Amino acid sequence: MRRHLNGWPARLAPHLFFLVPELLVAAGPFVITSIAPPGERPRFRMPDFFYGGQALIEGVMMRGRTTVAMSVRPPSGEIRTYSEPLPSALARGRWAKVPFARGVLVLYEALVIGTRMLMRSAAIAAEGEDIQIGKGTMAVTMVVSIGFAVALFFVLPLLLSTFAQRATTSDLWANLAEGAIRLAVFVAYIWLIGRMGDVRRVFGYHGAEHKAISAHEARRPLTPDEVDRFSTAHTRCGTTFLLIVVVISILFFGVIPRTGVPFPLLFASRVALVPVIAAFAYELVRFGASHYGSRLVRAVYAPGLWLQALTTRPPDRSMLEVSIASLESCLASDREATLPAAR
């Protein structure tokens, strides 16, 4: 039975202000339900469903076909695993299969479910008990973190780009300068937070999550020694996704006029286009997953893999065990869900 505790916010505090960007950076391979059109064989990877996940505080969340599972190691040392069914809109909703719309759902899933799981993991990691996260607490956390992310990645680059706008009469060059500043802020941000001890632990679990999913996709045994053979980088990682978002935003915002446009309206145009850009980015991640056998695709996605050196850390054995436990919980639930159909 869950009960309310008072000590867990201290464990969450170092993550609060940058919770939303940290969630997306530490998101593991995005869930992809199909990598080939019906009747066609996948071009590169064999599974017809790619599991996804996310690093937590002393734990890992995995997302399967029907459930989301969270494994956390509390102070007592044993692994605790919790599983719950996915909302029907995410598991079986028709919008989850519609191109571009599904990218918005993935973003919603990463933020809302990811925030709730991260807060629960903070409680378990701090005091060893699961808690019920109230809607009010969730709302305040999301508002604070989203406000910080908007200010850092949208308001700041837009403000700084006004200096470039004064030096040139070209809206295009001013917009390109804004995009370059946003990219620099993004890279500097993940480098800086990666130097924090608590975040480094999360990034270690991020690497463990990547390794476990890669081992499963390669059809290797889910044992710590076997899983540890795989890379901490993964094609569908949230870090790669965010890098694609930043690059695509340069193209989208580059065609928006600036001269004579009030700053609030410019800012509103950036925020309004975020879901559209995220939808395009998700489709590119899907494309990369299904065509990764192409040398050209691998070359295009190489910067995203390089950037993951900042958002992952080599995990220790205990982290690998937690990641494996979470993934095995999802796999077991999915096997049970398919048994009636097999009969």
Side-chain angles (χ1 to χ4, degrees):
M1 180 177 180
R2 298 176 183 173
R3 62 184 180 88
H4 290 276
L5 303 173
N6 297 318
W8 66 271
R11 191 64 188 263
L12 185 65
H15 307 266
L16 178 60
F17 283 101
F18 40 83
L19 184 63
V20 165
E22 181 186 330
L23 281 173
L24 293 176
V25 165
F30 284 109
V31 172
I32 297 179
T33 56
S34 176
I35 60 170
E40 293 185 19
R41 296 184 62 184
R43 298 189 183 185
F44 180 63
R45 299 188 187 235
M46 295 305 295
D48 62 353
F49 181 85
F50 283 132
Y51 286 80
Q54 182 175 293
L56 304 174
I57 298 173
E58 297 302 325
V60 171
M61 180 192 81
M62 291 289 186
R63 197 271 211 193
R65 295 177 186 267
T66 58
T67 62
V68 56
M70 174 182 71
S71 292
V72 182
R73 193 182 293 276
S76 55
E78 80 281 5
I79 298 174
R80 297 188 183 177
T81 299
Y82 306 85
S83 179
E84 61 184 52
L86 279 170
S88 58
L90 296 177
R92 296 173 295 277
R94 63 179 181 178
W95 290 108
K97 300 179 180 179
V98 177
F100 299 103
R102 57 196 173 193
V104 178
L105 284 178
V106 167
L107 188 61
Y108 166 85
E109 177 183 336
L111 294 181
V112 176
I113 297 181
T115 298
R116 181 163 55 85
M117 291 297 183
L118 189 71
M119 295 174 76
R120 288 176 62 186
S121 71
I124 299 168
E127 303 186 48
E129 297 198 34
D130 194 14
I131 67 168
Q132 180 68 54
I133 305 298
K135 292 184 178 179
T137 303
M138 279 280 296
V140 171
T141 301
M142 291 291 290
V143 168
V144 170
S145 186
I146 289 176
F148 175 83
V150 168
L152 182 64
F153 296 111
F154 291 95
V155 177
L156 180 62
L158 191 58
L159 278 173
L160 294 178
S161 69
T162 58
F163 294 100
Q165 189 174 3
R166 295 171 188 172
T168 178
T169 58
S170 170
D171 287 350
L172 175 60
W173 281 109
N175 285 329
L176 291 176
E178 178 192 347
I181 293 170
R182 182 174 293 110
L183 179 60
V185 168
F186 171 61
V187 175
Y189 161 80
I190 60 177
W191 179 79
L192 285 172
I193 67 169
R195 297 177 67 84
M196 300 174 59
D198 286 341
V199 177
R200 280 201 301 270
R201 292 285 299 174
V202 172
F203 286 174
Y205 280 101
H206 191 197
E209 171 213 355
H210 282 189
K211 284 173 174 281
I213 291 179
S214 294
H216 170 67
E217 291 173 352
R219 301 180 178 179
R220 302 303 302 168
L222 294 180
T223 63
D225 290 338
E226 190 67 35
V227 168
D228 199 29
R229 297 175 183 272
F230 289 85
S231 171
T232 57
H234 198 287
T235 313
R236 305 192 315 276
C237 176
T239 305
T240 300
F241 170 78
L242 281 182
L243 179 61
I244 294 173
V245 166
V246 171
V247 173
I248 292 179
S249 71
I250 297 175
L251 303 178
F252 273 73
F253 299 154
V255 298
I256 296 178
R258 295 173 65 112
T259 304
V261 180
F263 183 86
L265 191 57
L266 278 176
F267 167 70
S269 70
R270 271 53 176 172
V271 175
L273 282 174
V274 167
V276 179
I277 294 171
F280 270 87
Y282 178 74
E283 296 303 321
L284 288 177
V285 169
R286 289 179 59 92
F287 180 86
S290 59
H291 296 81
Y292 204 66
S294 165
R295 291 184 179 179
L296 177 60
V297 170
R298 289 200 300 273
V300 170
Y301 280 79
L305 298 178
W306 298 337
L307 199 60
Q308 289 176 44
L310 297 178
T311 63
T312 61
R313 297 289 185 273
D316 57 34
R317 187 180 182 88
S318 66
M319 293 176 177
L320 293 171
E321 291 170 349
V322 169
S323 184
I324 291 169
S326 183
L327 179 55
E328 285 183 332
S329 176
C330 283
L331 293 171
S333 297
D334 288 349
R335 284 193 295 268
E336 292 177 3
T338 58
L339 282 179
R343 293 172 185 169

